[in-house]
Amino acid sequence: MDRVLLIAVLTAIIHLTDTLVYAVRLSGVTTRRLATAFSLFQIISLLASTANLIQAPLLSSVVEKTINTGLKHASGSLLESPLYHHQLTQLSMDIRLVIFSATVGTVLGVLLTPAFNYVFTRVIFLFEEAGSIPRLIIILLSPHLLVRTMRKRPGYLGALRASFPGRPQNIPLAFLIANTMVIGIWTTGVLSALYAGALLPEYRSTASLLSGVVNGVATILSAMIVDPTAAMITDQALRGTRDQRDVRQMVYYLCLTRVLGTILAQVFFLPAAYLIRNVALIIAVPDR
């Protein structure tokens, strides 16, 4: 498999898993076992962690290959070489493909959310019966018990549609806008930093480590708006002071804004890369 396509597949898996975590919040509220739900999901998130461990060095190697190929064929300044500019264009297209795969993975996660919520809700109850992860795995690997557990046809998809009007109700608009921005920035942060390294090959290590310049904005938005609001809505539903329908609606709009965020990452990609390059230049300039 082509290296870029492998990176795209791994990126799609990562974003698929990150999208399904929204369904975990809904399952936790439905069963009133939120802590158990997030704990069980950590097992599934190992898939994304493994994909991320493979994806990161592969991404870096693609950038290194671009730079090394340019250095091999450039007769003068690397950044003035027409061949290297062509390679930068190709690298930009490859990274945009990776960002597109993030959108594909997110959309797939959205489509799987109703079914995943249905299955995961039953897994939570099965875990209480089993009492341990190894026994739970044995139950899930037993065809008879698995069929018995999943035999009931899920009605969640119909309920999901009925729960969401054309516009968000009881969900702060700033919360949804912030989540879109956060996902957009996080999707492109590391990718922009790697591309900045190709734009500034002599200081590529500095540039690649400056993804925090972009991601810092997303971290602030997430910490101040997104996470507290999502936690408040979830806790209110658990206490019974808010209808569980609001949590379903929140999950729906978080999924929607996540898709929009990965699309917005295409817009953020190059400006973020040039921002990181400029910051790297400031840092790398020797004292005079």
Side-chain angles (χ1 to χ4, degrees):
M1 181 185 293
D2 182 80
R3 183 168 300 191
V4 175
L5 289 179
L6 177 58
I7 293 170
V9 171
L10 293 171
T11 301
I13 292 172
I14 292 168
H15 283 264
L16 165 64
T17 308
D18 288 345
T19 303
L20 291 178
V21 75
Y22 296 144
V24 173
R25 188 180 294 272
L26 181 56
S27 295
V29 171
T30 302
T31 60
R32 299 192 176 277
R33 292 160 176 82
L34 189 61
T36 301
F38 278 117
S39 179
L40 287 174
F41 188 74
Q42 293 303 313
I43 300 172
I44 301 174
S45 67
L46 289 174
L47 177 64
S49 298
T50 303
N52 197 47
L53 284 173
I54 301 171
Q55 180 217 41
L58 285 176
L59 277 168
S60 181
S61 69
V62 169
V63 175
E64 290 289 342
K65 182 180 178 181
T66 299
I67 296 172
N68 291 333
T69 302
L71 287 171
K72 183 178 179 181
H73 294 93
S75 55
S77 173
L78 178 61
L79 293 177
E80 294 178 1
S81 168
L83 173 63
Y84 189 63
H85 279 280
H86 173 73
Q87 289 179 307
L88 285 176
T89 301
Q90 182 60 51
L91 178 61
S92 174
M93 292 174 61
D94 290 342
I95 292 178
R96 289 193 182 279
L97 174 62
V98 173
I99 296 175
F100 175 72
S101 71
T103 303
V104 173
T106 302
V107 170
L108 184 58
V110 172
L111 295 176
L112 291 175
T113 291
F116 182 80
N117 174 73
Y118 170 79
V119 172
F120 196 73
T121 298
R122 280 147 185 79
V123 169
I124 292 173
F125 289 123
L126 275 178
F127 174 70
E128 286 196 340
E129 294 179 16
S132 67
I133 293 297
R135 290 187 63 186
L136 174 64
I137 293 174
I138 292 173
I139 292 174
L140 292 177
L141 292 178
S142 171
H144 171 69
L145 290 174
L146 187 61
V147 169
R148 187 187 69 181
T149 304
M150 307 306 172
R151 180 176 51 195
K152 207 173 151 188
R153 184 177 179 180
Y156 174 68
L157 185 57
L160 189 70
R161 281 200 208 98
S163 297
F164 304 131
R167 55 187 292 274
Q169 297 177 356
N170 303 323
I171 306 296
L173 184 60
F175 165 66
L176 301 178
I177 294 173
N179 192 61
T180 304
M181 298 292 291
V182 165
I183 297 303
I185 294 170
W186 275 344
T187 299
T188 193
V190 173
L191 298 173
S192 293
L194 288 171
Y195 188 71
L199 293 173
L200 197 65
E202 63 269 36
Y203 299 115
R204 56 183 177 271
S205 296
T206 302
S208 63
L209 291 173
L210 281 173
S211 59
V213 172
V214 176
N215 288 347
V217 178
T219 301
I220 293 171
L221 285 173
S222 180
M224 295 186 65
I225 302 177
V226 177
D227 290 343
T229 303
M232 179 186 67
I233 293 173
T234 304
D235 285 344
Q236 288 175 346
L238 283 171
R239 292 197 306 267
T241 58
R242 180 187 283 264
D243 197 313
Q244 287 188 12
R245 182 174 178 270
D246 289 347
V247 179
R248 292 194 184 97
Q249 189 183 67
M250 179 184 71
V251 168
Y252 174 84
Y253 283 108
L254 283 175
C255 287
L256 176 61
T257 54
R258 186 174 186 90
V259 174
L260 294 176
T262 60
I263 296 172
L264 188 62
Q266 298 279 3
V267 178
F268 288 160
F269 166 54
L270 282 181
Y274 281 101
L275 172 63
I276 292 172
R277 185 200 66 170
N278 293 337
V279 173
L281 275 173
I282 294 171
I283 294 174
V285 170
D287 295 334
R288 301 187 182 189

